[in-house]
Each structure stands twice: as structure tokens, then as C-alpha cells.
Amino acid sequence: MLEMDDSIFSTATDMATTNIPLIRLEGITKVFFTDEVETHALSGIHLDINPGEYLSIAGPSGCGKSTLLSILGLLDTATGGSYLLNGEPVSTLNMGDRSRIRNKEIGFIFQAFNLIGDLTVRENVELPLTYRNMPAAERKSRVEDSLERVGMAHRMKHYPAQLSGGQQQRVAVARALAGNPSILLADEPTGNLDSNNGESVMELLRDLHRGGATVCMVTHDPRFARHADRTIHIFDGRVVEESSVAA
Amino acid sequence: MLHSILQDIRFGARMLVRKPGVTIVAVLALALGIGANTTIFSAVNAILFRPLPVRNQEGLVVIRKTEPDGTDPLPFSHPEYLDYRDGSVAFSGIAAWTGASTSLMADGEPEVVSAEITSGNYFSTLGISPAIGRFFGPTEDQVPGRDPVTVISYPLWQHRFGGDPGIVGRRIELNGAPFTVIGVAAREFTGLTVGEAPALWVPMMMYHQIAPGQNDIIGARNVSGLMLFGRLKDGISPERAIAEMNGIASGIGKKHPDNARGEGIALAPLDGLSSLSPGERENVRSFVAIMMAVAGLVLMIACINVAGMLLARSAARRHEMAIRLAIGAGRRRLVRQLLTETTLLFLLGGGVAMLMAVWSTDLLRSFHPPPEVPIAIDPAIDLRVLGFTFAISLITGLLFGLTPALRGSKTDLADALKEAPSGDSHRSRLRGIFVTAQVALSLILLIGAGLFLRTLQHAASIDPGFDPDHVELAVFDLSLHGYDEARGAALYGTLLERLRATPGVNSAALASIVPLGFSNAMMMLTVEGSTPRVGEDGFLTNFNIVTPGHFATMRMPLVKGRDFSAEDRQGHPQVAIVNETFARTYWPGGNPIGRRISMQGKEGPFMEVVGVAKDGKYKSLGEASLPYLYLPFGQNYTPSMTLQVRTSGDEAAALTAIRGQVHKLDPNIPLLNPMPLSRYIASALLPQRIAAWVAGTFGVLGLLLTAVGIYGMVSYAVIQRTREIGIRMALGAGRNAVMGMMMRQGFVPVALGVALGLIGAFASAPLLASFVFGISTFDPLTYLLVALALMLVALVACYIPARRASNVDPIAALKYE
């Protein structure tokens, strides 16, 4: 059983020096059962994501890339195979432990931003920290720091509806960063943005990666996939191609 | 226009059918709320609104004599009645009546029934017709004792005589005297006082046959006891009639100065409460108002509940409304459409409520109060009740449908057409406000019920000053059986003697008044050494006439002096026993034994106080200590007495023994209302029991509806916030965090409702003051327990949907729109 102590997870730098992948998927399968129909969304996915790596998952709509991201983000469980996060198996964790890992180790960036309309920018970014019982002063400092990093500190008191799509996605990135996670999981982060704002968000992710963050992004747009160090292509639930960009 | 309204109605009906779940729940909630009101209103209608079944009731007025200071109405004597009747030109008729009990003997079975003794023109002045036979004529109103005729009530005809078509002309015995039945009153006519239903009517000239031994009400000007009503002639105003009647009163005063007190005359519309005293009328109206308020609260809770459901449904129909707006419907048109649907729903609720009310009023009608409670109310459903139900269904439908209709018709077209999530926190806030209102109303209702229940609970612990267990009662009225004082006293004496010798009987006594019942007697008393207030002749004092052994039988301790004895009889020094409060009031610090009091004024003759009884409760358990006087039966014969027998436990055997002894002494004397004393005094709490039952039932109903409202609100919030819940879970919120969030959302309006409800209960508590005793209307324990109980129910109602929220699949939630 995975211990929930903060210290159990090595930092990305530690992991890099020990050459243990941050995430290791072995033979991951996912089958959806609806009535009497079985849909194989993922079939035998093997994947390592190393600390500090920028990985993109590409593929056509319905190929299983979002399902894979959900499993990576512990939002969903695999039907088969094993999933090691920081060298520890996470497939068998209970709901509470999965929530705690999501909160501490994973930062989500969604296509639809998924900011909470009734909360201000500041409260949205602070939200994951409130689930850790973090002292208020530390939360404040982290929120301000995150918003500074994405250039949204001046909009702290605004509500999401008062922001443009690009600004909302920046706030969503700030929220993902605030918890200082081991990995950022981005699901089509530019899908709801125009090309300028899309580029801007991709630039932001690249900056974060340059700063040492591990990023895993799902996209169907080859232009954005090229921002990553490595791209895996999924088709019909299988990894059909893997390509790397020379450093 | 008509076509579009019909279209709205058709569409509205279709919408109700399309969502049967919501429709059924809403209709049931409304049916409960409206049904509660219909049921209570059917009783209120019978008490306050149902017109007397007479011709042109508007022309009938009750004629009241008033004291010079305009206070309590006084009854009239028969000679006065004749003066007014014969001297008036403003009235087409003035009639007189009074109530009495009489022993009815038919087919060998004696029964005591209530009767009205009326002037000959009573029925003609009312303008009613008999079911069969005839009413009294002018000849039967002329010679005392000459015309022994009677008109019987429809129920008596049906139940006692099996609806015998040959009843007219049949001879029956009233108080042992033969009377001929000349007619049967119409089924709907049950006398002039609501709640009282006389079994028969006899002419005034037969008064002495019906009330033997009573004062000469027919001939004596100083013996009052009649109530008058009259029918104003067409075109005569009440003011003119009053002026005329006051002129007659003045003439009577001049002609008979000995009996003149300077009274005036007042007129009031004749209704079912006319014959009650102002205080009694006020009590009835207060009680009715409280019951209607209780039912009204349930209705409001139900309506708010349904408004919450409609609000949720309007959110679900946002897309449909957007399409309607997009194709050119005006907002006003949409509001009308939604209001039509709501009104249909409420009318449907009203229809089901009507069916429920038919059942519940049947239930009420099948309830017969115990014999010691002289109440007869017929809460039948009539056109007024139907109209009331229709009106409240329509009005509440329009009122409570308006907010959801306005909200439902106001939508962001672009978002709604895309079916994008509305993020409409305004609806959530509105539902929160609805829940707050429901909780507040429910709390007020439950606190009222709690106060009544605590009153009953407290009543059980109040010491009435006597021991009601193992005492059997039976009422006798020897005047109804032709007994004079000598024979009556002898019979009572023998009966007591024999009963005391009966195995299983510990003691036996007689009393004219049984404490904590519906009867009471007062007299003006002179207390030697005490001066009455200015303008008063003496001290108005409650009294009871008792035989020796009364205190022992009732286990009412004598704290000083002695009990009455057989020596306290006519020809011996007159004596009395007072209670502690009497002694304290009139002889503070002194010894009451040997003090003197008089019933005849300061000139005497005087009675000597020979004992002091412990204080008790006489009229109600909630009363403060009253001065009370006991007089010996041996010196104050009265034919109507209640037998009190303390038994060693076997009540049935005791009752058989009593029956046997009475039968041996005189087989014609019926044992009236035999019952244990404990049951008899339970009727003293009847108003509180009814109030507790009604408020408790409706309180639970309100609580149930409120719980459904809270559940609905939190469930709605869970649906509305599903996506947010998914986001929070993705960000690491655990189940408990999500559950806590939803519980908070549900509980904040509940807490606010509790606070407002407590304020409301505090504010309305004084209205209950006359029905709550032994505890304060601000009783902190009641308030606390009710608030806690309501919060517990609210917690459960919040918990179920909150728990469902915590089980939301985050992936599904993130995709949820």
C-alpha cells in the first residue's frame, strides 16, 4: 500500500538522478461494458514518463487518449495492467488515497478550463490547497506565486466569467501549478482557444517544462504535439507510433 | 386569445403527464396542504360561517339586554319578553327560548336529552318548515300547562324512533309527564347554537313540566333566563329597532322600578354563536384562528415545497424556453404558459385534497365526543367548503407559480440554445430561500405542537387537589322524575347508605359540581368583616353543595376543622367549609373557623365556617388558586347531584352495584353518564388535546414536507454542481470534502430557517397563551428540543443527496452538462 506521506514521492530531480520513471504503465487495458457490449478503449499500453519530460499523446478523436489521461490522473482505473507512480503501484488504492495523490502529485489542465464560476480567480487557484489543510499564509503565498508565473496575478479578484478564454486557461494552469505536483496532465488545453491564445498557453507549458516540470499533454493537433520532447500516437487504444524531438 | 389559453391548458396537462414522478409528488404535497386546510375549514365553516337553515337570516337579530356599563348581556324574564314582543312595531316577530335537560321516556327506556323551551312563534319567526307534522301555534303559547306538545329533532326521530312515519301524534313522556309529538324538525335544523343540538322543543307554557322545581319563569318579572331574537320588518334599520327597544326598556323601568337596573338593548346578527357570552365567543374565535393558522402554515410549507420543485423543473426546461423565445414567443406569453401549468397542478392538488377532505371530515363526523363534552359539530362539506378549496388552490397556484414562471421565462438564449451549463446560482439561492422559509414555518408549527404537548405532559403532573383514581361518577336529576325535596333528600340518603355498605365500595358521597368538568356554580357572598368593592353587593364565589364524606371520597384533605355531618341539616345552625385560598383572602393570618358568611346579604342569615379544605383545581388545571366554598347538602337541597363512589378497584363491579341499588330504589331513574372520575376530568384538557393533536399532526406533516423540500434542494444542488464536484474531485477533493460541501449548502438555509423560526415562534407565542399552562409559552426546553429535532431531520435530508454527491464519478461529472 502506498503511504501517503509527502516524503514518499521523490522529487522529479531525485527521480531523474535515480533513473526511475515517474510513471510506468505496463499492459494497461481499459474495457467499458455497456449492456452486453464490450468496448476496448485501451489495449496493452506500455508507457514510461520520466521526470522532467514533456510528453504528448496524440491521436484521432475516440482513440482512447483521454481515457489514458484519466487513468494517468487517477480519475479512472484500468481494467488490467499495472500503474506505478513514483515506483509505487496505485491501481489498488482506495478512493480516499487516490484523492490525496491527485491533490498532491497531479495537476490537471482541462480543455474546458473547468474553473468554478462562483469562485474568484484566487479562490479557484487556492482550491486544491484547501484540501490539504495547508496553513492560510502558505496558501496565499503559493496562490500568488502561481498566478505570477502565469501572468494573472492582476486578475486575482475577478470571476472566471470576467476573463477571456486564454486568461481562464492560464488561471487553470496556475491552479494546476499551485500544488507543486509531480506531473501536469493537460487534456487538449488549447481545444477551446483561438490560435493566438492557444499558442500562448503552449508557450506557458513549454516555459514550465523548461523550469523542470513534467508535462503530459493530450492533443489531436500535430502542431501542438510538436512542442513535446516525445509524442506517442494512439489508434484504437494502442500505441502505434512514438516519436522524439531531438534536444 | 381563448384558443391560445386552451392551447396552454392542453400543453400544461401534457407536461404534467409527461413528468408523472414530479407531478405525483407535487400533487400529493399540495393535497396534504390544501386537504389540511379544507378539513379544518369544514369545521370552521360549521362553527362560524354556515348560515342557520332559516329564511332570510339577514333579517334576524339577537336581542340582548346590556348592563348600564354596556358589558355582559343579561337574560330576559318572560313578562319582559311579552312587553318587548307586544310593544314593538319594528319587528315582524320576537321569539324567546331557553335550554333545559329533560328525561325522555319512550318504549320503557329513560334517557336524558337536551331540550329548548320556546315561545310559540319561535319556528315561525325563524321561517322554517317541519320535516313532517307541524310546529307550535299561537294557541299553545297562551295557557301554562295546557298544551303538552313537543317537536322532536330529526336525529332523535331517526335514532330513537327509527324514523317511524307515524311519529306525529305519538305520546312520549318528558319528566314523567305525557307529551304529544306534533312534528319533526327538518334534518338541517339543529337549534340556534352551534355545537349544541337539542333533541326536542317544547312550548314555553310547558316550562314547569320540563323544569320542575325551578322558579316561576313564566309569571315572575324578577326571574330571568330567556334569550330573545327577532325578525326586523322590511325597511327597518337596526338603529331604529334599537331606539324602539330602548324606549320599551325605559317604559318597563318606569313601570317596574323595583326590577329596573337601567339596562339598555343591543342588537346583533343572529348566528350560531349569538347565544354564547362575549368571553365564550372570543374563546371560540381564538381557537378557530389558531387552528386555521396551523393549517395555513402547512399549506404554505407545501406550496413553497412545490414552488421549489417548479423552480428545478424550470431549470430543466431552459432549452425549451430558449427555443420558444427564439421563435418569437414573448416573455409574458411564456409566463402565462408556465403559470397555466402551475395552476393546473395546484387545481389537481386541490381536487385530490377535496377527496382527502371527504374522507377526513367523515372521520371527524364519526368522532363522537364523550357524553361529558356537550359539543356537536357537523363538519360537512358544502358549497362554501368547495369554494374555499377551489379558491386556495387557484390563489396559491398563481402566487407560488409566479416566481418559478418568471425565473423559467428568463434565460440566456445563446447559452440555453447550446444547452451549455447554466451556472444559475440564482435558482439555487431561491431554493435556499424556499428551504429557509419552510424550515421557519415548520419550526413555528412544531413549537406550537410542542407547547401543547408539554402542557398536557405538565397537566399530568399537576396536583388537582384530589385523587381521581378509583372514583366512579353518575349524575342524577330527581327533579326530572317528580321528586320533591323531602323525597329527593330521602332517596339520596338511602342510596348513600346502601352504597357505603356495598362490598368493594370504600366511600360514597354526592356533590352538585364535579371539579374540572364543564359545569360550575357561583354566588354572591357576604363575608362578615370584609367590604366588597364599590358598586358590588358581595363577593362572587364559586361553590359546591356536598354531602358528608365528599372530602374523604375525593381524598381532598381538610386542613382545619371538620367535615360536614348528618347533624348539618335544616333547622340546625348553618355551616360551610371554605378552601385555603378563601381563608387566606378574607381572613389573612386569622383563624377561619367560626367566621361567618352569608348568601342572603349583610343582614344574614349567616353560616359558620366549620372547616378548611386544601386548595384544589376547580375549573381548569391551569387556573390560579380560587376562593372556593362548600355547602352541606343537608341544608341546601338540590335535585341534581353527582354520585361519587370510591371503590377498591373493580370499577365494573362498582358500577353494577350502583345500578342495582338505584334500580331498587326507583327503576325509573336512569344512571346518567356513569364514568370514572379520571375520564371525566380528562375532558378538562379537551381544547389542549385537540390543539396538540391538530398541531402535532400538521407539524409532522409540515416537517415531512420540509424534509422533502430540503432533500429536493440538495439533490438539485448536486445536479447543478455535478461538474463542479468533478473538478473538485480531480483537484483532490475526497468524498468527505464533497459531502461536507453539499451538507453545508443544505444546512446553511436550514440554520437560517431555524433562527427565523425561533424568532417567529417567539413572536407568535403570546397567541397561544390562553391554551398553554404550567409552562411558559417561551419554554426553552420545547424550543430547544424542537429545533434540535428539526435540525436532525434536516441533516438526514441533506445527508442522502450529499452522500450521492460524494459518490459522483469524476470523469462522468467532468463531462456533465
Side-chain angles (χ1 to χ4, degrees):
Chain A
M1 173 60 75
L2 192 72
E3 290 296 324
M4 284 303 105
D5 191 85
D6 274 348
S7 60
I8 198 73
F9 288 104
S10 311
T11 63
T13 316
D14 293 340
M15 300 298 283
T17 54
T18 52
N19 279 332
I20 298 173
L22 176 65
I23 286 172
R24 168 160 286 173
L25 302 184
E26 290 178 346
I28 288 291
T29 58
K30 179 69 183 178
V31 183
F32 292 108
F33 300 92
T34 47
D35 296 327
E36 290 175 359
V37 180
E38 281 186 17
T39 306
H40 292 260
L42 297 174
S43 306
I45 300 282
H46 295 273
L47 176 67
D48 281 358
I49 302 175
N50 293 311
E53 191 179 9
Y54 188 164
L55 174 78
S56 76
I57 302 170
S61 181
C63 70
K65 52 189 190 299
S66 288
T67 304
L68 178 59
L69 199 74
S70 294
I71 290 171
L72 287 173
L74 298 181
L75 289 173
D76 204 353
T77 51
T79 312
S82 84
Y83 176 8
L84 301 179
L85 178 62
N86 285 329
E88 297 287 338
V90 292
S91 313
T92 53
L93 292 179
N94 64 28
M95 288 285 284
D97 290 340
R98 291 158 73 86
S99 296
R100 277 189 283 277
I101 293 175
R102 270 203 305 274
N103 182 251
K104 288 179 181 168
E105 302 299 332
I106 296 164
F108 278 104
I109 302 164
F110 301 99
Q111 178 181 353
F113 324 139
N114 280 343
L115 298 176
I116 294 172
D118 289 333
L119 303 181
T120 62
V121 163
R122 178 199 197 100
E123 288 164 339
N124 265 290
V125 176
E126 191 181 21
L127 197 57
L129 307 181
T130 59
Y131 297 129
R132 293 189 195 181
N133 296 323
M134 187 180 277
E138 191 181 345
R139 287 206 306 266
K140 184 171 182 283
S141 137
R142 284 217 197 186
V143 168
E144 287 170 0
D145 187 42
S146 298
L147 284 169
E148 283 290 348
R149 287 173 75 181
V150 301
M152 290 298 295
H154 63 297
R155 296 287 195 142
M156 219 179 273
K157 291 180 181 169
H158 287 69
Y159 283 90
Q162 297 169 307
L163 305 179
S164 69
Q167 286 174 321
Q168 287 192 48
Q169 194 60 299
R170 281 174 176 275
V171 174
V173 173
R175 182 177 63 186
L177 288 174
N180 198 18
S182 299
I183 186 168
L184 288 174
L185 299 179
D187 187 2
E188 303 271 13
T190 59
N192 278 13
L193 299 175
D194 59 33
S195 58
N196 281 341
N197 276 315
E199 275 301 336
S200 167
V201 167
M202 290 312 298
E203 193 57 41
L204 179 61
L205 287 177
R206 203 159 44 210
D207 286 349
L208 292 171
H209 169 241
R210 284 191 199 112
T214 308
V215 180
C216 176
M217 176 180 70
V218 161
T219 181
H220 68 279
D221 191 332
R223 287 176 301 144
F224 296 133
R226 279 198 289 274
H227 285 84
D229 301 335
R230 182 163 62 108
T231 302
I232 59 166
H233 296 267
I234 297 184
F235 188 77
D236 276 352
R238 295 171 192 280
V239 177
V240 293
E241 189 188 335
E242 185 168 340
S243 56
S244 298
V245 175
Chain B
M1 179 74 172
L2 183 68
H3 176 73
S4 67
I5 289 174
L6 286 174
Q7 200 179 30
D8 283 353
I9 293 172
R10 267 200 306 274
F11 185 77
R14 216 161 52 222
M15 289 306 291
L16 296 183
V17 173
R18 198 174 294 167
K19 297 273 183 193
V22 178
T23 304
I24 288 170
V25 173
V27 165
L28 276 179
L30 289 170
L32 289 173
I34 298 171
N37 277 267
T38 303
T39 306
I40 294 293
F41 183 78
S42 65
V44 172
N45 180 43
I47 296 168
L48 292 185
F49 303 124
R50 189 181 298 156
L52 295 168
V54 297
R55 174 175 56 83
N56 183 20
Q57 189 177 339
E58 293 73 35
L60 289 169
V61 289
V62 62
I63 302 166
R64 293 202 184 103
K65 200 157 58 162
T66 59
E67 284 278 25
D69 61 1
T71 52
D72 291 350
L74 297 168
F76 293 83
S77 68
H78 191 254
E80 280 175 327
Y81 158 61
L82 296 179
D83 289 340
Y84 287 109
R85 186 193 69 182
D86 299 338
S88 167
V89 292
F91 291 89
S92 60
I94 293 178
W97 65 282
T98 188
S101 292
T102 184
S103 172
L104 163 69
M105 175 79 94
D107 303 327
E109 275 298 313
E111 177 188 8
V112 170
V113 296
S114 63
E116 279 184 0
I117 305 170
T118 72
S119 59
N121 61 351
Y122 174 90
F123 294 104
S124 60
T125 304
L126 287 173
I128 57 177
S129 305
I132 53 171
R134 66 171 179 90
F135 287 141
F136 308 135
T139 55
E140 283 142 354
D141 205 19
Q142 288 169 357
V143 183
R146 188 188 67 186
D147 300 295
V149 294
T150 180
V151 172
I152 64 171
S153 72
Y154 196 92
L156 186 72
W157 177 42
Q158 291 298 313
H159 300 138
R160 185 67 196 261
F161 301 104
D164 174 14
I167 187 72
V168 174
R170 185 165 166 181
R171 288 168 75 88
I172 58 173
E173 277 184 28
L174 299 179
N175 291 350
F179 275 73
T180 304
V181 177
I182 59 168
V184 176
R187 181 202 294 259
E188 58 274 15
F189 183 69
T190 55
L192 294 183
T193 304
V194 68
E196 292 175 11
L200 51 87
W201 292 264
V202 293
M204 188 67 70
M205 292 299 116
M206 300 306 294
Y207 181 86
H208 293 295
Q209 280 68 34
I210 298 301
Q214 299 294 310
N215 290 324
D216 179 17
I217 202 168
I218 294 175
R221 191 166 282 278
N222 62 347
V223 178
S224 303
L226 302 183
M227 283 166 279
L228 306 191
F229 66 88
R231 183 176 288 282
L232 287 169
K233 282 180 181 164
D234 288 343
I236 300 289
S237 69
E239 291 75 23
R240 191 173 147 194
I242 290 173
E244 182 194 74
M245 299 301 272
N246 275 321
I248 297 171
S250 169
I252 295 171
K254 283 179 191 154
K255 207 168 167 186
H256 306 281
D258 291 351
N259 298 312
R261 295 164 57 110
E263 301 95 337
I265 295 291
L267 301 184
L270 180 72
D271 58 33
L273 300 183
S274 298
S275 58
L276 302 181
S277 72
E280 288 169 333
R281 281 200 296 272
E282 195 47 47
N283 276 344
V284 170
R285 291 201 174 106
S286 300
F287 190 73
V288 160
I290 289 174
M291 291 300 101
M292 277 309 286
V294 165
L297 285 176
V298 177
L299 177 63
M300 281 185 75
I301 293 169
C303 289
I304 294 171
N305 202 315
V306 172
M309 290 180 209
L310 294 173
L311 205 61
R313 199 162 69 167
S314 75
R317 292 174 63 185
R318 197 165 145 258
H319 188 62
E320 176 205 327
M321 291 300 130
I323 293 171
R324 285 173 180 271
L325 284 168
I327 60 174
R331 192 169 171 219
R332 191 180 294 179
R333 180 72 179 72
L334 287 191
V335 169
R336 199 185 77 193
Q337 163 69 49
L338 291 170
L339 265 183
T340 306
E341 288 177 36
T342 310
T343 309
L344 274 179
L345 185 70
F346 274 67
L347 287 175
L348 198 59
V352 178
M354 207 61 230
L355 295 177
M356 286 169 67
V358 168
W359 171 79
S360 60
T361 47
D362 274 353
L363 197 71
L364 280 181
R365 293 169 92 177
S366 68
F367 165 74
H368 297 291
E372 67 276 17
V373 182
I375 295 174
I377 292 169
D378 180 16
I381 288 178
D382 57 17
L383 274 178
R384 185 177 286 99
V385 176
L386 274 172
F388 170 82
T389 306
F390 179 74
I392 59 168
S393 306
L394 193 66
I395 292 167
T396 50
L398 292 172
L399 216 60
F400 287 88
L402 195 60
T403 305
L406 288 173
R407 285 301 313 164
S409 60
K410 187 182 174 187
T411 187
D412 182 327
L413 268 182
D415 276 355
L417 285 171
K418 281 188 286 185
E419 293 200 86
S422 71
D424 189 355
S425 54
H426 190 74
R427 276 195 181 87
S428 292
R429 272 198 297 277
L430 258 179
R431 288 208 80 177
I433 292 169
F434 286 171
V435 163
T436 299
Q438 286 181 76
V439 169
L441 295 172
S442 195
L443 190 73
I444 293 172
L445 203 56
L446 288 168
I447 284 177
L451 288 173
F452 290 132
L453 284 172
R454 291 261 297 138
T455 297
L456 290 176
Q457 185 191 25
H458 179 79
S461 65
I462 293 176
D463 176 12
F466 55 87
D467 176 6
D469 293 331
H470 306 302
V471 175
E472 292 296 316
L473 303 177
V475 180
F476 298 91
D477 188 350
L478 298 185
S479 70
L480 307 181
H481 306 281
Y483 279 76
D484 59 15
E485 181 173 340
R487 284 181 62 223
L491 181 134
Y492 279 140
T494 312
L495 177 64
L496 286 181
E497 211 172 276
R498 290 186 183 178
L499 284 173
R500 284 169 185 152
T502 303
V505 171
N506 294 343
S507 61
L510 292 163
S512 60
I513 302 290
V514 180
L516 300 176
F518 281 84
S519 55
N520 186 45
M522 297 183 89
M523 69 161 84
M524 200 58 89
L525 201 66
T526 299
V527 180
E528 203 172 48
S530 295
T531 311
R533 284 189 304 185
V534 178
E536 290 182 2
D537 300 334
F539 302 97
L540 200 58
T541 308
N542 294 285
F543 74 98
N544 196 356
I545 297 169
V546 301
T547 61
H550 166 74
F551 297 101
T553 303
M554 296 293 277
R555 293 200 176 143
M556 199 181 275
L558 286 166
V559 294
K560 260 194 181 106
R562 65 167 177 87
D563 188 6
F564 296 129
S565 70
E567 295 305 305
D568 299 319
R569 59 179 192 271
Q570 299 285 8
H572 286 234
Q574 292 201 359
V575 293
I577 291 173
V578 298
N579 74 345
E580 292 169 300
T581 301
F582 190 108
R584 250 194 330 269
T585 305
Y586 299 111
W587 307 295
N591 183 3
I593 305 297
R595 301 286 191 142
R596 299 200 317 159
I597 53 181
S598 170
M599 295 185 278
Q600 312 286 329
K602 56 189 176 188
E603 304 303 323
F606 284 92
M607 301 172 277
E608 186 181 314
V609 174
V610 293
V612 178
K614 190 174 171 251
D615 277 347
K617 301 291 180 188
Y618 308 101
K619 293 196 280 190
S620 81
L621 283 169
E623 73 193 15
S625 297
L626 298 171
Y628 206 81
L629 177 72
Y630 298 93
L631 302 174
F633 175 74
Q635 293 174 342
N636 302 273
Y637 174 79
T638 179
S640 176
M641 296 294 279
T642 300
L643 178 67
Q644 303 164 332
V645 179
R646 180 166 290 282
T647 68
S648 51
D650 188 349
E651 291 168 357
L655 210 57
T656 308
I658 294 168
R659 264 186 220 284
Q661 294 297 353
V662 172
H663 194 77
K664 272 186 209 164
L665 287 169
D666 186 340
N668 291 324
I669 298 175
L671 213 57
L672 303 179
N673 301 341
M675 74 182 75
L677 175 60
S678 52
R679 197 179 110 196
Y680 181 87
I681 65 168
S683 63
L685 292 169
L686 191 71
Q688 284 77 13
R689 279 186 209 285
I690 293 174
W693 188 83
V694 172
T697 306
F698 288 0
V700 170
L701 205 60
L703 183 64
L704 199 70
L705 289 169
T706 302
V708 170
I710 295 168
Y711 174 85
M713 179 199 65
V714 182
S715 296
Y716 176 67
V718 169
I719 292 167
Q720 270 213 320
R721 297 180 72 178
T722 298
R723 192 181 176 87
E724 179 191 332
I725 290 166
I727 297 168
R728 286 176 181 269
M729 288 181 125
L731 296 176
R735 284 182 172 188
N736 289 343
V738 170
M739 194 152 83
M741 179 181 82
M742 297 316 300
M743 291 286 284
R744 265 195 307 282
Q745 173 159 7
F747 211 70
V748 166
V750 169
L752 201 61
V754 167
L756 288 175
L758 286 173
I759 293 169
F762 266 109
S764 53
L767 300 174
L768 308 180
S770 53
F771 299 99
V772 171
F773 58 82
I775 56 161
S776 160
T777 49
F778 304 110
D779 178 46
L781 187 65
T782 306
Y783 281 62
L784 183 72
L785 286 179
V786 169
L788 285 177
L790 195 146
M791 285 197 280
L792 191 68
V793 171
L795 269 178
V796 174
C798 290
Y799 174 78
I800 299 166
R803 189 178 151 76
R804 203 164 52 231
S806 72
N807 286 328
V808 159
D809 174 2
I811 299 175
L814 286 168
K815 289 176 188 163
Y816 183 83
E817 289 185 354

